[in-house]
Amino acid sequence: MTPPPLRIGNASGFYGDRFDAMREMLTGGELDVLTGDYLAELTMLILGRDRLKDPAAGYARTFLGQLEECLGLAHERGVRIVTNAGGLNPAGLADAVRELADRLGIRARVAHVEGDDLTHRHSGALAAHAYLGGFGIAACLREGADVVVTGRVTDAALVTGPAAAHFGWTSDAHDRLAGAVVAGHVLECGTQATGGNYAFFTDHDVRRLRHPGFPLAEIHEDGTAVITKHPGTGGVVDVGTVTAQLLYETAGARYAGPDVTARLDTVELTQEGPDRVRITGVRGEAPPPTLKVGLNRIGGYRNEVVFVLTGLDIEKKAALVRDQLETALNAAKSRPASVTWSFARTDHPDAPTEETASALLRLVVRDPDQAVVGRALSGAAVELALASYPGFHVLAPPGKGAPYGVFEAVYVDHGVADHVAVLHDGRRVHIPPAHAASAQVAPPHGPLVL
């Protein structure tokens, strides 16, 4: 007998997404599992800086606020919650959820997944975390967890984990796992699957896009899925919106992850009905022999100033102030390590207002020393107020310089990360690496300045 589909919804695409989405998803229709994706490369940097100030921090605090309103709803409806909001401190968030449940008088079994933190292996990193797969989540759910909190897992793992637990998939069920990865990739960015950020939004009634609903997937035992949303919610789910999200942040036909390599060139999308897109045909291969690790470090300090150039002789005004600032920077005790100018011609001829008659000249400086990009720049810029181009003004005075982050991906063998499911009763289950490895390894990327 074929089991019924597993209905997995997503209520967050990033840290700061719509606060009310969790309640909307829990009250809008039937669900079995509700996920929340809170992590991005920049988020890990933000959480790392939070933890420098408070060792007990390091997780997405807004999730707790959402859960305070919605844990009772989820409990009443039998909806299990799976989230990566644990960030750098999944154990800390799990404890906070337990405290919240006790205060609310709700019997909630809370588990978490750890082992992604490899910061100790990377000198100079503020945070270094491996992208784990979904089988730690699956272990927690199989043992009865109502809420599962993770640190850095792949976004799709929030879906592959519940699907593997529900259907009993093992690590060699490559095609089924690949189907769940594709569904999870469509869900992970929330309303991007229901019309948000969609290039062809003009093809739809704009009134439907005012408040798009969050997506959900009906996942079947064979790995096929239907992407949809709750009835009566805004937005649109069609082959176009699903295709756009499917291609988001992918670099080729093979979409490699820790559980499986999904073959995106096998995906078939069919419009099954209004706001229903069926995903079939997905083939999977063994995962690569390595795990991706995201390294976040403080790259130094940055500062900027934006000069507003209005009216006539825009190019000459830009040349004058740039020459003046370059002279001042060269005469300073230490010139910033990086000096970048950009010029945006936002001005219009015969403009009716000062704003539409103005262009923007932006100067960005970076250096390991905060003092070099702080007072030295702010003093040089402000001192030009009465000594530069006519109509001199800036959008805001430069400050003292703020730290900036750098993200870089490296790769380690699966066994380097000790993937552990910490169950609601405290038992620790070690999750073995994928049983097989292929030669397909994701190419490394250069550093990304955040």
Side-chain angles (χ1 to χ4, degrees), residues 336-354:
S338 171
V339 176
T340 304
W341 293 89
S342 60
F343 192 21
R345 291 301 302 264
T346 54
D347 55 305
H348 301 274
D350 299 320
T353 65
E354 181 177 346

Side-chain angles (χ1 to χ4, degrees), residues 62 93 117 154 166 168 225 233 238 247 315 327 341 352 380 386 422:
T62 53
L93 179 55
D117 190 352
T154 64
H166 183 74
T233 57
D238 65 12
L247 297 178
E315 298 281 351
T327 300
W341 293 89
L386 303 180
V422 184

Side-chain angles (χ1 to χ4, degrees), residues 70-374:
C70 297
L71 184 58
L73 279 172
H75 184 71
E76 292 169 7
R77 288 162 171 74
V79 178
R80 303 165 99 175
I81 295 175
V82 178
T83 179
N84 61 14
L88 277 60
N89 189 9
L93 179 55
D95 285 341
V97 172
R98 292 185 188 99
E99 293 172 5
L100 173 64
D102 289 343
R103 177 162 55 82
L104 297 176
I106 299 170
R107 294 175 61 87
R109 293 164 294 191
V110 184
H112 74 274
V113 177
E114 61 186 31
D116 58 299
D117 190 352
L118 301 180
T119 307
H120 63 284
R121 296 176 60 91
H122 298 275
S123 178
L126 178 63
H129 291 257
Y131 291 72
L132 302 179
F135 280 94
I137 296 169
C140 294
L141 293 172
R142 287 189 183 116
E143 293 297 325
D146 301 304
V147 179
V148 181
V149 172
T150 79
R152 178 77 273 187
V153 296
T154 64
D155 300 338
L158 301 177
V159 171
T160 61
H166 183 74
F167 295 116
W169 296 340
T170 55
S171 60
D172 58 353
H174 292 150
D175 291 347
R176 288 171 169 81
L177 287 168
V181 163
V182 169
H185 181 55
V186 173
L187 296 188
E188 70 184 50
C189 289
T191 51
Q192 278 191 185
T194 59
N197 288 343
Y198 183 48
F200 305 103
F201 71 98
T202 55
D203 292 349
H204 301 286
D205 185 342
V206 69
R207 291 171 294 182
R208 296 185 65 184
L209 301 178
R210 288 173 181 162
H211 191 80
F214 276 68
L216 62 94
E218 300 169 357
I219 299 180
H220 295 262
E221 192 277 336
D222 63 358
T224 62
V226 173
I227 304 299
T228 183
K229 60 187 184 68
H230 283 323
T233 57
V236 61
V237 178
D238 65 12
V239 170
T241 64
V242 172
T243 300
Q245 175 56 28
L246 183 61
L247 297 178
Y248 175 73
E249 292 185 336
T250 58
R254 285 183 167 88
Y255 189 57
D259 293 324
V260 68
T261 297
R263 290 293 302 265
L264 300 183
D265 54 352
T266 65
V267 177
E268 298 176 14
L269 303 179
T270 306
Q271 192 75 43
E272 186 179 75
D275 294 319
R276 292 180 63 84
V277 173
R278 182 171 293 277
I279 301 174
T280 58
V282 185
R283 300 299 301 272
E285 300 170 346
T290 56
L291 292 176
K292 178 181 176 180
V293 179
L295 300 183
N296 284 276
R297 59 182 172 83
I298 300 299
Y301 296 86
R302 74 182 297 280
N303 204 353
E304 71 173 53
V305 58
V306 180
F307 300 94
V308 183
L309 315 169
T310 306
L312 304 176
D313 299 322
I314 294 290
E315 298 281 351
K316 293 180 179 178
K317 290 174 180 175
L320 172 60
V321 73
R322 178 168 177 168
D323 179 64
Q324 290 175 309
L325 254 294
E326 285 285 353
T327 300
L329 292 175
N330 289 333
K333 184 177 179 180
S334 180
R335 179 182 170 88
S338 171
V339 176
T340 304
W341 293 89
S342 60
F343 192 21
R345 291 301 302 264
T346 54
D347 55 305
H348 301 274
D350 299 320
T353 65
E354 181 177 346
E355 180 182 19
T356 55
S358 299
L360 302 176
L361 177 66
R362 182 184 305 270
L363 168 63
V364 177
V365 296
R366 294 185 176 89
D367 196 88
D369 187 346
Q370 186 176 22
V372 172
V373 300

Side-chain angles (χ1 to χ4, degrees), residues 418-440:
D418 187 15
H419 190 175
V420 177
V422 184
L423 307 182
H424 63 278
D425 58 8
R427 285 178 293 146
R428 299 175 64 85
V429 178
H430 291 265
I431 309 301
H435 78 103
S438 75
Q440 301 297 329

